[in-house]
mmCIF file of all heavy atoms in Angstrom:
data_model
loop_
_atom_site.group_PDB
_atom_site.id
_atom_site.type_symbol
_atom_site.label_atom_id
_atom_site.label_comp_id
_atom_site.label_asym_id
_atom_site.label_seq_id
_atom_site.Cartn_x
_atom_site.Cartn_y
_atom_site.Cartn_z
ATOM 1 N N ILE A 267 226.310 -57.798 -22.419
ATOM 2 C CA ILE A 267 226.663 -57.396 -21.043
ATOM 3 C C ILE A 267 228.132 -56.975 -21.002
ATOM 4 O O ILE A 267 228.490 -55.962 -20.325
ATOM 5 C CB ILE A 267 226.309 -58.477 -19.981
ATOM 6 C CG1 ILE A 267 224.757 -58.618 -19.947
ATOM 7 C CG2 ILE A 267 226.915 -58.193 -18.682
ATOM 8 C CD1 ILE A 267 224.249 -59.878 -19.168
ATOM 9 N N SER A 268 229.010 -57.728 -21.636
ATOM 10 C CA SER A 268 230.427 -57.425 -21.613
ATOM 11 C C SER A 268 230.660 -56.094 -22.213
ATOM 12 O O SER A 268 231.589 -55.301 -21.672
ATOM 13 C CB SER A 268 231.217 -58.488 -22.397
ATOM 14 O OG SER A 268 231.047 -59.731 -21.851
ATOM 15 N N ALA A 269 229.953 -55.715 -23.255
ATOM 16 C CA ALA A 269 230.149 -54.426 -23.921
ATOM 17 C C ALA A 269 229.641 -53.293 -22.968
ATOM 18 O O ALA A 269 230.313 -52.258 -22.858
ATOM 19 C CB ALA A 269 229.336 -54.370 -25.236
ATOM 20 N N GLU A 270 228.558 -53.504 -22.302
ATOM 21 C CA GLU A 270 228.035 -52.552 -21.307
ATOM 22 C C GLU A 270 229.050 -52.344 -20.187
ATOM 23 O O GLU A 270 229.297 -51.207 -19.822
ATOM 24 C CB GLU A 270 226.777 -53.163 -20.650
ATOM 25 C CG GLU A 270 225.479 -52.650 -21.142
ATOM 26 C CD GLU A 270 224.292 -53.423 -20.445
ATOM 27 O OE1 GLU A 270 224.598 -54.369 -19.656
ATOM 28 O OE2 GLU A 270 223.190 -53.039 -20.709
ATOM 29 N N ILE A 271 229.653 -53.372 -19.734
ATOM 30 C CA ILE A 271 230.627 -53.290 -18.657
ATOM 31 C C ILE A 271 231.831 -52.496 -19.119
ATOM 32 O O ILE A 271 232.287 -51.589 -18.509
ATOM 33 C CB ILE A 271 231.126 -54.746 -18.254
ATOM 34 C CG1 ILE A 271 229.937 -55.413 -17.511
ATOM 35 C CG2 ILE A 271 232.391 -54.611 -17.285
ATOM 36 C CD1 ILE A 271 230.269 -56.895 -17.229
ATOM 37 N N LYS A 272 232.335 -52.868 -20.323
ATOM 38 C CA LYS A 272 233.532 -52.182 -20.885
ATOM 39 C C LYS A 272 233.363 -50.675 -21.034
ATOM 40 O O LYS A 272 234.276 -49.918 -20.880
ATOM 41 C CB LYS A 272 233.929 -52.862 -22.153
ATOM 42 C CG LYS A 272 235.378 -52.623 -22.525
ATOM 43 C CD LYS A 272 235.906 -53.532 -23.617
ATOM 44 C CE LYS A 272 236.671 -54.737 -23.122
ATOM 45 N NZ LYS A 272 237.026 -55.628 -24.177
ATOM 46 N N LYS A 273 232.135 -50.260 -21.334
ATOM 47 C CA LYS A 273 231.793 -48.866 -21.529
ATOM 48 C C LYS A 273 232.024 -48.088 -20.205
ATOM 49 O O LYS A 273 232.429 -46.926 -20.235
ATOM 50 C CB LYS A 273 230.324 -48.695 -22.023
ATOM 51 C CG LYS A 273 230.296 -47.847 -23.325
ATOM 52 C CD LYS A 273 228.896 -47.432 -23.629
ATOM 53 C CE LYS A 273 228.063 -48.511 -24.303
ATOM 54 N NZ LYS A 273 226.654 -48.228 -24.446
ATOM 55 N N ILE A 274 231.765 -48.731 -19.112
ATOM 56 C CA ILE A 274 231.825 -48.066 -17.817
ATOM 57 C C ILE A 274 233.180 -48.307 -17.164
ATOM 58 O O ILE A 274 233.730 -47.416 -16.581
ATOM 59 C CB ILE A 274 230.662 -48.483 -16.872
ATOM 60 C CG1 ILE A 274 229.322 -48.274 -17.568
ATOM 61 C CG2 ILE A 274 230.837 -47.818 -15.535
ATOM 62 C CD1 ILE A 274 228.158 -48.813 -16.729
ATOM 63 N N SER A 275 233.698 -49.491 -17.318
ATOM 64 C CA SER A 275 234.917 -49.864 -16.600
ATOM 65 C C SER A 275 235.796 -50.807 -17.435
ATOM 66 O O SER A 275 235.246 -51.936 -17.787
ATOM 67 C CB SER A 275 234.585 -50.443 -15.254
ATOM 68 O OG SER A 275 235.716 -51.092 -14.665
ATOM 69 N N THR A 276 237.018 -50.511 -17.670
ATOM 70 C CA THR A 276 237.866 -51.397 -18.493
ATOM 71 C C THR A 276 238.512 -52.435 -17.661
ATOM 72 O O THR A 276 239.134 -53.357 -18.203
ATOM 73 C CB THR A 276 238.886 -50.641 -19.319
ATOM 74 O OG1 THR A 276 239.574 -49.745 -18.442
ATOM 75 C CG2 THR A 276 238.220 -49.803 -20.410
ATOM 76 N N ASN A 277 238.532 -52.281 -16.276
ATOM 77 C CA ASN A 277 239.207 -53.327 -15.532
ATOM 78 C C ASN A 277 238.221 -54.150 -14.709
ATOM 79 O O ASN A 277 238.598 -54.679 -13.640
ATOM 80 C CB ASN A 277 240.248 -52.640 -14.613
ATOM 81 C CG ASN A 277 239.591 -51.769 -13.570
ATOM 82 O OD1 ASN A 277 238.457 -51.362 -13.690
ATOM 83 N ND2 ASN A 277 240.316 -51.434 -12.447
ATOM 84 N N THR A 278 237.041 -54.327 -15.175
ATOM 85 C CA THR A 278 236.061 -55.181 -14.521
ATOM 86 C C THR A 278 235.888 -56.516 -15.297
ATOM 87 O O THR A 278 235.749 -56.498 -16.485
ATOM 88 C CB THR A 278 234.735 -54.443 -14.359
ATOM 89 O OG1 THR A 278 234.967 -53.233 -13.600
ATOM 90 C CG2 THR A 278 233.702 -55.347 -13.638
ATOM 91 N N ASN A 279 235.913 -57.561 -14.482
ATOM 92 C CA ASN A 279 235.751 -58.919 -15.060
ATOM 93 C C ASN A 279 234.291 -59.358 -14.827
ATOM 94 O O ASN A 279 233.729 -59.246 -13.772
ATOM 95 C CB ASN A 279 236.643 -59.919 -14.380
ATOM 96 C CG ASN A 279 238.115 -59.530 -14.618
ATOM 97 O OD1 ASN A 279 238.577 -59.673 -15.751
ATOM 98 N ND2 ASN A 279 238.764 -59.030 -13.602
ATOM 99 N N LEU A 280 233.692 -59.958 -15.873
ATOM 100 C CA LEU A 280 232.427 -60.585 -15.765
ATOM 101 C C LEU A 280 232.612 -62.031 -15.316
ATOM 102 O O LEU A 280 233.264 -62.862 -16.033
ATOM 103 C CB LEU A 280 231.687 -60.532 -17.063
ATOM 104 C CG LEU A 280 230.459 -61.478 -17.230
ATOM 105 C CD1 LEU A 280 229.337 -61.043 -16.300
ATOM 106 C CD2 LEU A 280 229.912 -61.367 -18.707
ATOM 107 N N VAL A 281 232.052 -62.401 -14.191
ATOM 108 C CA VAL A 281 232.032 -63.822 -13.735
ATOM 109 C C VAL A 281 230.716 -64.399 -14.144
ATOM 110 O O VAL A 281 229.651 -63.968 -13.647
ATOM 111 C CB VAL A 281 232.261 -63.914 -12.179
ATOM 112 C CG1 VAL A 281 232.171 -65.353 -11.798
ATOM 113 C CG2 VAL A 281 233.544 -63.272 -11.791
ATOM 114 N N ILE A 282 230.742 -65.360 -15.098
ATOM 115 C CA ILE A 282 229.528 -65.964 -15.529
ATOM 116 C C ILE A 282 229.062 -67.001 -14.504
ATOM 117 O O ILE A 282 229.784 -68.001 -14.285
ATOM 118 C CB ILE A 282 229.791 -66.637 -16.960
ATOM 119 C CG1 ILE A 282 230.268 -65.547 -17.941
ATOM 120 C CG2 ILE A 282 228.526 -67.292 -17.427
ATOM 121 C CD1 ILE A 282 230.752 -66.175 -19.250
ATOM 122 N N VAL A 283 227.921 -66.788 -13.900
ATOM 123 C CA VAL A 283 227.457 -67.689 -12.900
ATOM 124 C C VAL A 283 226.726 -68.850 -13.475
ATOM 125 O O VAL A 283 225.625 -68.718 -13.985
ATOM 126 C CB VAL A 283 226.607 -66.953 -11.806
ATOM 127 C CG1 VAL A 283 226.035 -67.885 -10.734
ATOM 128 C CG2 VAL A 283 227.459 -65.878 -11.184
ATOM 129 N N THR A 284 227.355 -70.040 -13.448
ATOM 130 C CA THR A 284 226.822 -71.206 -14.109
ATOM 131 C C THR A 284 226.171 -72.161 -13.108
ATOM 132 O O THR A 284 225.952 -73.366 -13.376
ATOM 133 C CB THR A 284 227.898 -71.963 -14.873
ATOM 134 O OG1 THR A 284 229.082 -72.141 -14.061
ATOM 135 C CG2 THR A 284 228.309 -71.215 -16.110
ATOM 136 N N LYS A 285 225.818 -71.677 -11.896
ATOM 137 C CA LYS A 285 225.367 -72.568 -10.857
ATOM 138 C C LYS A 285 224.106 -73.362 -11.271
ATOM 139 O O LYS A 285 223.930 -74.479 -10.685
ATOM 140 C CB LYS A 285 225.071 -71.823 -9.562
ATOM 141 C CG LYS A 285 224.021 -70.785 -9.602
ATOM 142 C CD LYS A 285 223.975 -69.888 -8.389
ATOM 143 C CE LYS A 285 222.863 -68.881 -8.423
ATOM 144 N NZ LYS A 285 223.049 -67.859 -7.398
ATOM 145 N N ASN A 286 223.268 -72.901 -12.132
ATOM 146 C CA ASN A 286 222.140 -73.712 -12.437
ATOM 147 C C ASN A 286 222.213 -74.275 -13.879
ATOM 148 O O ASN A 286 221.257 -74.818 -14.439
ATOM 149 C CB ASN A 286 220.830 -72.906 -12.370
ATOM 150 C CG ASN A 286 220.658 -72.404 -10.980
ATOM 151 O OD1 ASN A 286 220.766 -73.194 -9.988
ATOM 152 N ND2 ASN A 286 220.300 -71.173 -10.769
ATOM 153 N N GLN A 287 223.430 -74.244 -14.444
ATOM 154 C CA GLN A 287 223.582 -74.684 -15.833
ATOM 155 C C GLN A 287 224.262 -76.057 -15.912
ATOM 156 O O GLN A 287 224.948 -76.464 -15.081
ATOM 157 C CB GLN A 287 224.413 -73.668 -16.626
ATOM 158 C CG GLN A 287 223.913 -72.204 -16.526
ATOM 159 C CD GLN A 287 222.495 -72.129 -16.977
ATOM 160 O OE1 GLN A 287 222.093 -72.724 -17.975
ATOM 161 N NE2 GLN A 287 221.687 -71.380 -16.196
ATOM 162 N N ASP A 288 223.862 -76.777 -16.956
ATOM 163 C CA ASP A 288 224.374 -78.097 -17.091
ATOM 164 C C ASP A 288 225.680 -78.116 -17.936
ATOM 165 O O ASP A 288 226.219 -77.129 -18.434
ATOM 166 C CB ASP A 288 223.331 -79.097 -17.653
ATOM 167 C CG ASP A 288 222.946 -78.734 -19.089
ATOM 168 O OD1 ASP A 288 223.725 -78.051 -19.787
ATOM 169 O OD2 ASP A 288 221.801 -79.052 -19.483
ATOM 170 N N GLN A 289 226.227 -79.273 -18.078
ATOM 171 C CA GLN A 289 227.528 -79.584 -18.676
ATOM 172 C C GLN A 289 227.599 -78.955 -20.100
ATOM 173 O O GLN A 289 228.632 -78.478 -20.501
ATOM 174 C CB GLN A 289 227.773 -81.026 -18.697
ATOM 175 C CG GLN A 289 229.213 -81.434 -18.748
ATOM 176 C CD GLN A 289 229.898 -81.204 -17.459
ATOM 177 O OE1 GLN A 289 229.445 -81.683 -16.411
ATOM 178 N NE2 GLN A 289 231.030 -80.529 -17.490
ATOM 179 N N ASN A 290 226.551 -79.051 -20.872
ATOM 180 C CA ASN A 290 226.628 -78.641 -22.269
ATOM 181 C C ASN A 290 226.907 -77.198 -22.353
ATOM 182 O O ASN A 290 227.615 -76.675 -23.239
ATOM 183 C CB ASN A 290 225.278 -78.952 -22.983
ATOM 184 C CG ASN A 290 225.040 -80.398 -23.154
ATOM 185 O OD1 ASN A 290 225.989 -81.154 -23.173
ATOM 186 N ND2 ASN A 290 223.808 -80.778 -23.247
ATOM 187 N N VAL A 291 226.183 -76.431 -21.439
ATOM 188 C CA VAL A 291 226.400 -74.976 -21.492
ATOM 189 C C VAL A 291 227.812 -74.622 -21.138
ATOM 190 O O VAL A 291 228.449 -73.769 -21.780
ATOM 191 C CB VAL A 291 225.370 -74.336 -20.517
ATOM 192 C CG1 VAL A 291 225.656 -72.812 -20.388
ATOM 193 C CG2 VAL A 291 223.964 -74.602 -20.898
ATOM 194 N N ILE A 292 228.314 -75.311 -20.122
ATOM 195 C CA ILE A 292 229.725 -75.049 -19.658
ATOM 196 C C ILE A 292 230.707 -75.368 -20.776
ATOM 197 O O ILE A 292 231.570 -74.496 -21.067
ATOM 198 C CB ILE A 292 229.987 -75.909 -18.441
ATOM 199 C CG1 ILE A 292 229.294 -75.316 -17.219
ATOM 200 C CG2 ILE A 292 231.471 -76.064 -18.160
ATOM 201 C CD1 ILE A 292 229.262 -76.162 -15.941
ATOM 202 N N THR A 293 230.554 -76.483 -21.400
ATOM 203 C CA THR A 293 231.465 -76.878 -22.497
ATOM 204 C C THR A 293 231.423 -75.813 -23.586
ATOM 205 O O THR A 293 232.450 -75.361 -24.141
ATOM 206 C CB THR A 293 231.057 -78.246 -23.060
ATOM 207 O OG1 THR A 293 231.069 -79.144 -21.946
ATOM 208 C CG2 THR A 293 232.058 -78.694 -24.156
ATOM 209 N N HIS A 294 230.212 -75.345 -23.893
ATOM 210 C CA HIS A 294 230.014 -74.415 -24.979
ATOM 211 C C HIS A 294 230.700 -73.076 -24.678
ATOM 212 O O HIS A 294 231.374 -72.468 -25.505
ATOM 213 C CB HIS A 294 228.465 -74.235 -25.242
ATOM 214 C CG HIS A 294 228.129 -73.326 -26.350
ATOM 215 N ND1 HIS A 294 227.212 -72.325 -26.166
ATOM 216 C CD2 HIS A 294 228.641 -73.233 -27.500
ATOM 217 C CE1 HIS A 294 227.129 -71.738 -27.373
ATOM 218 N NE2 HIS A 294 227.965 -72.248 -28.224
ATOM 219 N N LEU A 295 230.569 -72.626 -23.427
ATOM 220 C CA LEU A 295 231.149 -71.354 -23.026
ATOM 221 C C LEU A 295 232.720 -71.400 -22.980
ATOM 222 O O LEU A 295 233.362 -70.456 -23.316
ATOM 223 C CB LEU A 295 230.578 -70.923 -21.643
ATOM 224 C CG LEU A 295 229.124 -70.450 -21.758
ATOM 225 C CD1 LEU A 295 228.624 -70.201 -20.274
ATOM 226 C CD2 LEU A 295 228.919 -69.198 -22.546
ATOM 227 N N VAL A 296 233.168 -72.558 -22.489
ATOM 228 C CA VAL A 296 234.606 -72.703 -22.455
ATOM 229 C C VAL A 296 235.178 -72.766 -23.862
ATOM 230 O O VAL A 296 236.201 -72.135 -24.144
ATOM 231 C CB VAL A 296 235.006 -74.048 -21.637
ATOM 232 C CG1 VAL A 296 236.476 -74.397 -21.796
ATOM 233 C CG2 VAL A 296 234.671 -73.842 -20.177
ATOM 234 N N ASP A 297 234.555 -73.497 -24.736
ATOM 235 C CA ASP A 297 234.948 -73.564 -26.140
ATOM 236 C C ASP A 297 234.956 -72.165 -26.773
ATOM 237 O O ASP A 297 235.717 -71.822 -27.709
ATOM 238 C CB ASP A 297 234.097 -74.502 -26.969
ATOM 239 C CG ASP A 297 234.392 -75.960 -26.611
ATOM 240 O OD1 ASP A 297 235.446 -76.169 -25.923
ATOM 241 O OD2 ASP A 297 233.548 -76.843 -26.951
ATOM 242 N N ALA A 298 233.980 -71.315 -26.299
ATOM 243 C CA ALA A 298 233.881 -69.949 -26.906
ATOM 244 C C ALA A 298 234.932 -69.043 -26.320
ATOM 245 O O ALA A 298 235.044 -67.927 -26.705
ATOM 246 C CB ALA A 298 232.468 -69.412 -26.628
ATOM 247 N N GLY A 299 235.729 -69.518 -25.367
ATOM 248 C CA GLY A 299 236.837 -68.720 -24.882
ATOM 249 C C GLY A 299 236.670 -67.988 -23.580
ATOM 250 O O GLY A 299 237.550 -67.249 -23.105
ATOM 251 N N TYR A 300 235.496 -68.177 -22.922
ATOM 252 C CA TYR A 300 235.343 -67.479 -21.615
ATOM 253 C C TYR A 300 236.080 -68.186 -20.488
ATOM 254 O O TYR A 300 236.311 -69.423 -20.555
ATOM 255 C CB TYR A 300 233.805 -67.403 -21.301
ATOM 256 C CG TYR A 300 233.082 -66.559 -22.320
ATOM 257 C CD1 TYR A 300 232.386 -67.103 -23.320
ATOM 258 C CD2 TYR A 300 233.194 -65.203 -22.224
ATOM 259 C CE1 TYR A 300 231.746 -66.273 -24.285
ATOM 260 C CE2 TYR A 300 232.581 -64.390 -23.152
ATOM 261 C CZ TYR A 300 231.877 -64.911 -24.195
ATOM 262 O OH TYR A 300 231.243 -64.132 -25.106
ATOM 263 N N VAL A 301 236.592 -67.348 -19.539
ATOM 264 C CA VAL A 301 237.528 -67.998 -18.554
ATOM 265 C C VAL A 301 237.039 -67.777 -17.059
ATOM 266 O O VAL A 301 237.584 -68.452 -16.222
ATOM 267 C CB VAL A 301 238.906 -67.452 -18.695
ATOM 268 C CG1 VAL A 301 239.498 -67.931 -20.060
ATOM 269 C CG2 VAL A 301 239.054 -65.990 -18.619
ATOM 270 N N HIS A 302 236.141 -66.863 -16.840
ATOM 271 C CA HIS A 302 235.721 -66.650 -15.386
ATOM 272 C C HIS A 302 234.305 -67.196 -15.190
ATOM 273 O O HIS A 302 233.316 -66.687 -15.750
ATOM 274 C CB HIS A 302 235.733 -65.116 -15.081
ATOM 275 C CG HIS A 302 237.101 -64.549 -15.013
ATOM 276 N ND1 HIS A 302 237.933 -64.799 -13.903
ATOM 277 C CD2 HIS A 302 237.787 -63.716 -15.776
ATOM 278 C CE1 HIS A 302 239.088 -64.180 -14.037
ATOM 279 N NE2 HIS A 302 239.027 -63.527 -15.193
#
Side-chain angles (χ1 to χ4, degrees):
I267 292 169
S268 300
E270 259 176 356
I271 292 171
K272 201 166 260 174
K273 234 193 276 174
I274 302 173
S275 165
T276 51
N277 67 341
T278 301
N279 298 289
L280 167 62
V281 178
I282 301 169
V283 176
T284 48
K285 65 188 178 195
N286 298 315
Q287 306 307 315
D288 64 24
Q289 203 74 49
N290 292 336
V291 174
I292 285 169
T293 306
H294 185 225
L295 291 173
V296 169
D297 288 347
Y300 294 102
V301 294
H302 288 287

